[in-house]
Amino acid sequence: MPKLRMTGRGLWITVLIVPPLAFVALFIVYPIISAFAYAFFDWQGLKRGAYVGLENFHTVLFVEPYRSWTLNAFKNNIIVFFALMVLQNGLGFILAYALWRELPGARFHRIAVFLPVVLSTIIVAYLFKLFYHPLFGVVNITLKSIGLGWMAQPWLGQSGTALWSIIVAQAWHMVGFPTLVFLAGMQRIPGEILDAVRMETESEWVKISKIVWPLVAPSATIVFTLLFVGAFNWFELPYIMGGLDGSPFGSTDVLGLYFYRTAFGNVSAGQQDFGLGSALAVLIFLFIAVIASVITVRLRAREIQI
């Protein structure tokens, strides 16, 4: 009878595990292995040609104009990562702390902060394109109404402001996610510790730096790692707001757009090279996997030290 129970339990475990494993193998492992294989061949459209070894990797890293395109997209991804680290995660931590302190209307504020996260990226992109419109956008109208009309400008139409305008839209869209993760971490802080700190000091900075921040370290590990992966996989918002070419003049180009444009082509580029695109995909995957692993290990070690 016990043996029969174990058999039934094992059967249930198998039934529950096999479908997600099959899904992962079909839609994650197989495409990754395929991209590795495709990167070592020359391609004529979608027809595989001769084996070229590492030539595709050498081209995207060292041969012009691909080298300049790769460096420009990589530079923009780094800007996106550090900007979102400050705007999205920094603001998320501050909002989480304010919500945790149960300020007036905390329940309403929690809904208001998380509401943009449930909006689709398409809606957010077109919403901010309207906000940034040079003629009737609310941003320029507001600036003019408060006497700062000299700051009004085509935010998405010039190189100096286009990428930052999209970053602001991304931060507004997703700030609710780190807020909720940090808030969940803060709500696990024992009340006895807070009472002891309140007896020692009234300084909010001391409470945050000495108690709250160290105790939400696991939450910080989660949001930092996910932000890094998301920043270097960024595609939808810059594609809708800046176009597949990263307009204007490549100022909003990121690795995701560059890969898609190279592998599948577009009207303005006039080229399609599946081998170069696969090489880019492999390099992006390896970079994200290695750096995300390092970040996770270092942050986990920091949690133990704390």
Side-chain angles (χ1 to χ4, degrees):
M1 192 66 180
K3 185 177 180 180
L4 184 61
R5 289 200 191 100
M6 287 300 293
T7 304
R9 184 169 177 268
L11 180 62
W12 269 109
I13 293 175
T14 303
V15 169
L16 292 174
I17 289 180
V18 168
L21 284 180
F23 183 87
V24 170
L26 183 61
F27 293 102
I28 298 179
V29 176
Y30 175 71
I32 292 174
I33 294 174
S34 298
F36 270 88
Y38 295 162
F40 292 94
F41 288 88
D42 183 31
W43 288 79
Q44 303 298 324
L46 295 178
K47 182 180 179 182
R48 193 173 70 181
Y51 176 78
V52 294
L54 298 174
E55 184 177 330
N56 288 327
F57 295 94
H58 178 267
T59 300
V60 298
L61 290 176
F62 302 109
V63 177
E64 295 292 352
Y66 296 99
R67 176 177 175 274
S68 297
W69 293 339
T70 303
L71 291 178
N72 178 59
F74 183 64
K75 179 201 70 177
N76 287 338
N77 275 107
I78 291 177
I79 294 173
V80 170
F81 170 66
F82 283 104
L84 290 178
M85 181 68 76
V86 175
L87 291 176
Q88 186 173 297
N89 284 0
L91 186 58
F93 182 83
I94 294 172
L95 289 172
Y97 185 73
L99 294 172
W100 180 57
R101 295 302 305 273
E102 294 292 341
L103 297 178
R107 184 170 298 180
F108 168 78
H109 293 311
R110 288 183 188 182
I111 297 174
V113 168
F114 192 73
L115 188 60
V117 177
V118 303
L119 296 176
S120 76
T121 304
I122 296 175
I123 293 174
V124 173
Y126 280 100
L127 187 67
F128 272 82
K129 287 184 80 169
L130 290 175
F131 287 169
Y132 292 135
H133 195 280
L135 297 180
F136 53 80
V138 67
V139 175
N140 282 349
I141 291 176
T142 303
L143 290 172
K144 292 173 183 176
S145 65
I146 60 176
L148 297 176
W150 56 274
M151 293 181 64
Q153 52 192 301
W155 298 95
L156 294 174
Q158 52 189 13
S159 302
T161 57
L163 182 62
W164 288 98
S165 299
I166 302 176
I167 289 172
V168 170
Q170 174 70 22
W172 178 86
H173 184 203
M174 295 305 296
V175 70
F177 177 74
T179 301
L180 284 191
V181 176
F182 280 129
L183 181 60
M186 292 176 187
Q187 289 175 334
R188 296 178 60 187
I189 298 176
E192 298 80 7
I193 295 178
L194 293 175
D195 293 337
V197 175
R198 290 192 185 102
M199 294 177 65
E200 293 292 332
T201 179
E202 290 295 325
S203 171
E204 293 293 332
W205 171 248
V206 173
K207 293 174 188 173
I208 293 174
S209 60
K210 301 296 184 183
I211 301 299
V212 177
W213 177 248
L215 291 178
V216 298
S219 303
T221 301
I222 294 172
V223 295
F224 287 170
T225 305
L226 292 180
L227 175 66
F228 175 79
V229 175
F232 283 89
N233 278 326
W234 210 33
F235 180 81
E236 294 91 346
L237 208 57
Y239 174 63
I240 300 171
M241 298 184 71
L244 191 54
D245 294 326
S247 299
F249 311 115
S251 60
T252 61
D253 198 15
V254 289
L255 290 172
L257 293 176
Y258 177 37
F259 151 73
Y260 187 91
R261 192 171 62 244
T262 303
F264 300 103
N266 69 333
V267 176
S268 58
Q271 68 168 20
Q272 179 191 2
D273 195 311
F274 214 63
L276 294 180
S278 298
L280 273 171
V282 170
L283 291 172
I284 295 170
F285 168 76
L286 292 176
F287 175 77
I288 292 175
V290 171
I291 301 300
S293 300
V294 171
I295 291 175
T296 303
V297 170
R298 293 297 298 269
L299 290 179
R300 291 292 184 194
R302 173 181 169 273
E303 293 174 19
I304 295 173
Q305 292 173 0
I306 292 173

